[in-house]
Amino acid sequence: MAVATFAGGCFWCMVKPFDQQEGIESVISGYTGGHTENPTYEEVCSETTGHFEAVQITFDPAIYPYEKLVDLYWTLIDPTDAGGQFYDRGQSYMSAIFYHDEEQRKIAEASKKALQESGKFKAPIAVQILPATTFYPAESYHQHYYKKNPAHYERYSIGSGRVAFQQQHWGTKS
């Protein structure tokens, strides 16, 4: 098994698409990249901890390789938005790929470059590629939110603008 970590705005919207792929053992919502130990949701949202809302994925690379995770990640976000994602603004909602080893860094950098050069987006790709740091699981009520609160999850993913963006740019929705 291997681990991948992605920040793409609200972590509620990042779990379901990964969770539904064969070869994914677990998807955990949490916080990473900051300077506070064991941050709470309220602390992270206060923009004082330096953490990103993120998901940490445990996966079998023989079934679902890291390259495919990165490819899926791009379709879940607006990669040109440097100030957050969709309705959610601020540092804690910014997008980033957190690499766990040199191979992941190279794959993420190459994928970002290819997306930029594809011409799919006119603005520069703003996603940061950063070394993985300690990942703190979010509170239990945030875990697999799409299963626990499906109606609210659906309203949020549509109301935030995420679904419309995905449909417009990728022809999909999460």
Side-chain angles (χ1 to χ4, degrees), residues 16-167:
K16 183 179 178 181
F18 290 111
D19 208 29
Q20 296 178 326
Q21 307 305 314
E22 185 178 344
I24 304 298
E25 181 177 295
S26 68
V27 184
I28 300 170
S29 297
Y31 317 109
T32 195
H35 52 79
T36 302
E37 289 186 22
N38 299 307
T40 65
Y41 180 70
E42 290 75 22
E43 290 170 336
V44 172
C45 289
S46 74
E47 300 289 326
T48 60
T49 69
H51 287 284
F52 295 70
E53 282 195 17
V55 292
Q56 190 158 83
I57 302 161
T58 302
F59 66 103
D60 182 340
I63 298 172
Y64 206 90
Y66 185 72
E67 292 88 345
K68 283 182 69 175
L69 288 172
V70 174
D71 289 346
L72 177 56
Y73 170 74
W74 294 125
T75 70
L76 305 178
I77 63 168
D78 174 354
T80 67
D81 189 344
Q85 285 293 300
F86 309 104
Y87 175 80
D88 298 307
R89 312 310 304 156
Q91 188 276 321
S92 62
Y93 295 111
M94 290 172 33
S95 54
I97 298 172
F98 292 91
Y99 60 88
H100 291 264
D101 58 32
E102 187 62 15
E103 180 182 357
Q104 285 188 357
R105 185 193 66 76
K106 287 178 182 177
I107 290 167
E109 292 283 358
S111 183
K112 179 179 176 178
K113 182 179 181 199
L115 182 59
Q116 184 67 59
E117 292 174 352
S118 75
K120 186 166 191 66
F121 297 97
K122 302 297 180 227
I125 303 303
V127 173
Q128 300 175 73
I129 299 175
L130 303 169
T133 59
T134 303
F135 182 87
Y136 300 97
E139 296 80 354
S140 63
Y141 68 92
H142 289 299
Q143 303 303 329
H144 292 89
Y145 192 83
Y146 78 96
K147 291 180 181 178
K148 295 175 182 175
N149 297 287
H152 184 254
Y153 167 80
E154 192 68 22
R155 284 191 308 275
Y156 180 82
S157 62
I158 292 169
S160 69
R162 188 180 294 260
V163 169
F165 183 90
Q166 290 170 320
Q167 289 173 334

